[in-house]
Structure formats: C-alpha cells, structure tokens
Short mmCIF file of all heavy atoms in Angstrom, two decimals:
data_model
loop_
_atom_site.label_atom_id
_atom_site.label_comp_id
_atom_site.label_asym_id
_atom_site.label_seq_id
_atom_site.Cartn_x
_atom_site.Cartn_y
_atom_site.Cartn_z
N ILE A 1 108.96 117.23 106.93
CA ILE A 1 108.57 115.86 107.24
C ILE A 1 108.89 114.92 106.08
O ILE A 1 109.34 113.78 106.29
CB ILE A 1 107.08 115.80 107.61
CG1 ILE A 1 106.85 116.39 109.00
CG2 ILE A 1 106.56 114.36 107.56
CD1 ILE A 1 105.39 116.46 109.40
N GLN A 2 108.67 115.37 104.86
CA GLN A 2 108.92 114.51 103.71
C GLN A 2 110.40 114.17 103.52
O GLN A 2 110.74 113.25 102.78
CB GLN A 2 108.37 115.19 102.44
CG GLN A 2 106.85 115.25 102.42
CD GLN A 2 106.30 115.83 101.13
OE1 GLN A 2 106.30 115.19 100.07
NE2 GLN A 2 105.83 117.06 101.19
N SER A 3 111.25 114.91 104.21
CA SER A 3 112.68 114.59 104.14
C SER A 3 113.10 113.60 105.22
O SER A 3 114.26 113.20 105.28
CB SER A 3 113.50 115.89 104.29
OG SER A 3 113.37 116.43 105.59
N ILE A 4 112.15 113.19 106.08
CA ILE A 4 112.45 112.25 107.16
C ILE A 4 111.85 110.89 106.80
O ILE A 4 110.63 110.72 106.83
CB ILE A 4 111.87 112.73 108.50
CG1 ILE A 4 112.39 114.13 108.83
CG2 ILE A 4 112.21 111.75 109.62
CD1 ILE A 4 111.78 114.74 110.08
N PRO A 5 112.65 109.90 106.44
CA PRO A 5 112.12 108.58 106.05
C PRO A 5 111.32 107.93 107.17
O PRO A 5 111.73 107.95 108.33
CB PRO A 5 113.39 107.78 105.73
CG PRO A 5 114.45 108.80 105.47
CD PRO A 5 114.12 109.96 106.35
N GLY A 6 110.16 107.36 106.81
CA GLY A 6 109.36 106.62 107.78
C GLY A 6 108.74 107.46 108.87
O GLY A 6 108.34 106.92 109.92
N PHE A 7 108.60 108.75 108.64
CA PHE A 7 108.08 109.63 109.70
C PHE A 7 106.65 109.25 110.08
O PHE A 7 106.35 109.02 111.25
CB PHE A 7 108.13 111.09 109.24
CG PHE A 7 107.60 112.06 110.27
CD1 PHE A 7 108.44 112.60 111.23
CD2 PHE A 7 106.25 112.43 110.27
CE1 PHE A 7 107.94 113.49 112.18
CE2 PHE A 7 105.75 113.31 111.22
CZ PHE A 7 106.61 113.85 112.18
N TRP A 8 105.78 109.16 109.08
CA TRP A 8 104.36 108.98 109.40
C TRP A 8 104.04 107.59 109.91
O TRP A 8 103.17 107.43 110.78
CB TRP A 8 103.50 109.32 108.18
CG TRP A 8 103.38 110.80 107.97
CD1 TRP A 8 103.90 111.53 106.95
CD2 TRP A 8 102.70 111.72 108.82
NE1 TRP A 8 103.59 112.86 107.11
CE2 TRP A 8 102.86 113.01 108.25
CE3 TRP A 8 101.99 111.60 110.01
CZ2 TRP A 8 102.32 114.16 108.83
CZ3 TRP A 8 101.45 112.74 110.60
CH2 TRP A 8 101.61 114.00 110.01
N VAL A 9 104.71 106.56 109.42
CA VAL A 9 104.43 105.23 109.95
C VAL A 9 104.80 105.17 111.44
O VAL A 9 104.10 104.54 112.24
CB VAL A 9 105.18 104.14 109.15
CG1 VAL A 9 106.68 104.28 109.25
CG2 VAL A 9 104.74 102.75 109.63
N LYS A 10 105.86 105.85 111.81
CA LYS A 10 106.26 105.87 113.22
C LYS A 10 105.25 106.65 114.06
O LYS A 10 104.91 106.26 115.18
CB LYS A 10 107.65 106.49 113.37
CG LYS A 10 108.21 106.39 114.78
CD LYS A 10 109.66 106.86 114.83
CE LYS A 10 110.21 106.72 116.25
NZ LYS A 10 111.63 107.18 116.31
N VAL A 11 104.73 107.74 113.50
CA VAL A 11 103.72 108.54 114.21
C VAL A 11 102.47 107.71 114.46
O VAL A 11 101.93 107.68 115.57
CB VAL A 11 103.37 109.80 113.40
CG1 VAL A 11 102.15 110.51 113.99
CG2 VAL A 11 104.56 110.76 113.37
N PHE A 12 102.00 107.00 113.42
CA PHE A 12 100.79 106.18 113.55
C PHE A 12 101.00 105.06 114.56
O PHE A 12 100.14 104.82 115.42
CB PHE A 12 100.41 105.60 112.19
CG PHE A 12 99.57 106.52 111.35
CD1 PHE A 12 100.12 107.67 110.80
CD2 PHE A 12 98.24 106.24 111.09
CE1 PHE A 12 99.36 108.53 110.02
CE2 PHE A 12 97.47 107.09 110.31
CZ PHE A 12 98.04 108.24 109.77
N VAL A 13 102.12 104.37 114.46
CA VAL A 13 102.37 103.22 115.32
C VAL A 13 102.58 103.64 116.78
O VAL A 13 102.20 102.93 117.71
CB VAL A 13 103.60 102.43 114.82
CG1 VAL A 13 104.03 101.38 115.82
CG2 VAL A 13 103.27 101.78 113.48
N ASN A 14 103.14 104.82 117.00
CA ASN A 14 103.42 105.27 118.36
C ASN A 14 102.22 105.87 119.07
O ASN A 14 102.26 106.09 120.28
CB ASN A 14 104.55 106.31 118.36
CG ASN A 14 105.92 105.67 118.19
OD1 ASN A 14 106.05 104.45 118.17
ND2 ASN A 14 106.94 106.49 118.05
N HIS A 15 101.15 106.14 118.34
CA HIS A 15 99.97 106.70 118.99
C HIS A 15 99.29 105.62 119.82
O HIS A 15 98.98 104.53 119.30
CB HIS A 15 98.99 107.25 117.94
CG HIS A 15 97.87 108.04 118.53
ND1 HIS A 15 96.76 107.44 119.10
CD2 HIS A 15 97.70 109.38 118.69
CE1 HIS A 15 95.95 108.37 119.55
NE2 HIS A 15 96.49 109.56 119.31
N PRO A 16 99.03 105.86 121.09
CA PRO A 16 98.52 104.79 121.97
C PRO A 16 97.19 104.19 121.55
O PRO A 16 96.98 102.99 121.69
CB PRO A 16 98.41 105.49 123.34
CG PRO A 16 98.37 106.95 123.03
CD PRO A 16 99.21 107.13 121.81
N ARG A 17 96.28 104.99 121.02
CA ARG A 17 94.99 104.45 120.60
C ARG A 17 95.05 103.89 119.18
O ARG A 17 94.44 102.87 118.88
CB ARG A 17 93.90 105.53 120.69
CG ARG A 17 93.48 105.85 122.13
CD ARG A 17 92.28 106.75 122.12
NE ARG A 17 92.58 108.06 121.55
CZ ARG A 17 91.67 108.88 121.03
NH1 ARG A 17 90.40 108.51 120.97
NH2 ARG A 17 92.03 110.07 120.55
N MET A 18 95.78 104.55 118.32
CA MET A 18 95.89 104.09 116.94
C MET A 18 96.65 102.77 116.84
O MET A 18 96.32 101.90 116.04
CB MET A 18 96.59 105.15 116.09
CG MET A 18 96.67 104.81 114.61
SD MET A 18 95.08 104.86 113.78
CE MET A 18 94.96 106.63 113.47
N SER A 19 97.67 102.60 117.67
CA SER A 19 98.50 101.40 117.60
C SER A 19 97.69 100.13 117.84
O SER A 19 98.01 99.08 117.28
CB SER A 19 99.64 101.49 118.62
OG SER A 19 99.13 101.53 119.94
N ALA A 20 96.64 100.24 118.65
CA ALA A 20 95.81 99.06 118.93
C ALA A 20 95.01 98.62 117.71
O ALA A 20 94.50 97.50 117.66
CB ALA A 20 94.86 99.38 120.08
N MET A 21 94.91 99.48 116.70
CA MET A 21 94.13 99.17 115.50
C MET A 21 95.02 98.96 114.28
O MET A 21 94.52 98.85 113.16
CB MET A 21 93.13 100.30 115.24
CG MET A 21 92.08 100.44 116.34
SD MET A 21 90.89 101.78 116.04
CE MET A 21 91.83 103.21 116.61
N ILE A 22 96.34 98.91 114.48
CA ILE A 22 97.27 98.74 113.37
C ILE A 22 97.92 97.36 113.44
O ILE A 22 98.51 96.99 114.45
CB ILE A 22 98.35 99.83 113.39
CG1 ILE A 22 97.72 101.19 113.09
CG2 ILE A 22 99.45 99.54 112.37
CD1 ILE A 22 98.70 102.33 113.09
N SER A 23 97.80 96.61 112.36
CA SER A 23 98.38 95.27 112.30
C SER A 23 99.71 95.32 111.55
O SER A 23 100.16 96.37 111.09
CB SER A 23 97.42 94.32 111.59
OG SER A 23 97.26 94.72 110.24
N THR A 24 100.32 94.17 111.41
CA THR A 24 101.60 94.10 110.70
C THR A 24 101.48 94.56 109.26
O THR A 24 102.31 95.32 108.76
CB THR A 24 102.14 92.65 110.73
OG1 THR A 24 102.30 92.24 112.09
CG2 THR A 24 103.47 92.56 110.01
N GLN A 25 100.42 94.13 108.55
CA GLN A 25 100.29 94.53 107.15
C GLN A 25 99.96 96.01 107.04
O GLN A 25 100.36 96.67 106.07
CB GLN A 25 99.26 93.67 106.41
CG GLN A 25 97.84 94.19 106.38
CD GLN A 25 97.07 93.77 107.62
OE1 GLN A 25 97.57 92.99 108.43
NE2 GLN A 25 95.87 94.28 107.76
N ASP A 26 99.26 96.56 108.03
CA ASP A 26 99.00 98.00 108.03
C ASP A 26 100.31 98.78 108.12
O ASP A 26 100.51 99.77 107.42
CB ASP A 26 98.11 98.39 109.21
CG ASP A 26 96.73 97.78 109.13
OD1 ASP A 26 96.27 97.52 108.00
OD2 ASP A 26 96.11 97.58 110.18
N LYS A 27 101.18 98.31 109.00
CA LYS A 27 102.47 98.98 109.18
C LYS A 27 103.29 98.92 107.89
O LYS A 27 103.97 99.89 107.53
CB LYS A 27 103.24 98.33 110.33
CG LYS A 27 104.54 99.03 110.68
CD LYS A 27 105.19 98.38 111.88
CE LYS A 27 106.52 99.05 112.22
NZ LYS A 27 107.17 98.41 113.40
N GLU A 28 103.21 97.81 107.18
CA GLU A 28 103.96 97.68 105.92
C GLU A 28 103.44 98.66 104.88
O GLU A 28 104.22 99.30 104.16
CB GLU A 28 103.87 96.24 105.42
CG GLU A 28 104.62 95.25 106.29
CD GLU A 28 104.48 93.83 105.79
OE1 GLU A 28 103.86 93.64 104.72
OE2 GLU A 28 104.99 92.92 106.45
N MET A 29 102.12 98.80 104.80
CA MET A 29 101.57 99.76 103.84
C MET A 29 101.93 101.19 104.23
O MET A 29 102.28 102.01 103.39
CB MET A 29 100.04 99.59 103.77
CG MET A 29 99.59 98.37 103.01
SD MET A 29 97.81 98.41 102.62
CE MET A 29 97.10 98.52 104.26
N LEU A 30 101.84 101.48 105.52
CA LEU A 30 102.15 102.83 105.99
C LEU A 30 103.61 103.19 105.80
O LEU A 30 103.97 104.38 105.81
CB LEU A 30 101.76 102.97 107.47
CG LEU A 30 100.26 103.08 107.76
CD1 LEU A 30 100.00 102.97 109.25
CD2 LEU A 30 99.72 104.39 107.21
N SER A 31 104.47 102.19 105.65
CA SER A 31 105.89 102.48 105.44
C SER A 31 106.12 103.20 104.12
O SER A 31 107.18 103.80 103.91
CB SER A 31 106.72 101.18 105.50
OG SER A 31 106.43 100.35 104.38
N TYR A 32 105.13 103.14 103.21
CA TYR A 32 105.24 103.83 101.93
C TYR A 32 104.59 105.22 101.97
O TYR A 32 104.59 105.94 100.98
CB TYR A 32 104.58 103.01 100.83
CG TYR A 32 105.33 101.75 100.50
CD1 TYR A 32 105.03 100.54 101.13
CD2 TYR A 32 106.34 101.75 99.55
CE1 TYR A 32 105.72 99.37 100.83
CE2 TYR A 32 107.04 100.59 99.23
CZ TYR A 32 106.72 99.41 99.88
OH TYR A 32 107.41 98.26 99.58
N MET A 33 104.06 105.60 103.10
CA MET A 33 103.39 106.89 103.22
C MET A 33 104.41 108.01 103.30
O MET A 33 105.35 107.96 104.10
CB MET A 33 102.49 106.89 104.46
CG MET A 33 101.66 108.13 104.64
SD MET A 33 100.52 107.93 106.03
CE MET A 33 99.90 109.60 106.18
#
C-alpha cells in the first residue's frame, strides 16, 4: 500500500459513510497519509 500514492485518501473518500464526514480540507490533509 505504501508504494501506491494517495491510496488511503482515496479509500477514505470512497467510503459511503465516511465521505459524508470528510470536507475539502480533510481530503487535503489525508493526501499526506
């Protein structure tokens, strides 16, 4: 997973329940995860 850029931010954003609680700034922070 660590060899795949942006893996976890995509996982968080694509989750149907989690996505409703993620804002634009959250996505930006998660891009560094």
Side-chain angles (χ1 to χ4, degrees):
I1 287 176
Q2 291 184 74
S3 68
I4 304 175
F7 180 89
W8 283 112
V9 63
K10 187 173 181 180
V11 170
F12 275 70
V13 170
N14 283 355
H15 189 281
R17 287 188 295 158
M18 184 70 82
S19 63
M21 296 180 278
I22 292 180
S23 65
T24 301
Q25 93 274 353
D26 295 332
K27 185 176 178 180
E28 292 178 3
M29 285 193 301
L30 285 171
S31 68
Y32 291 92
M33 185 174 170

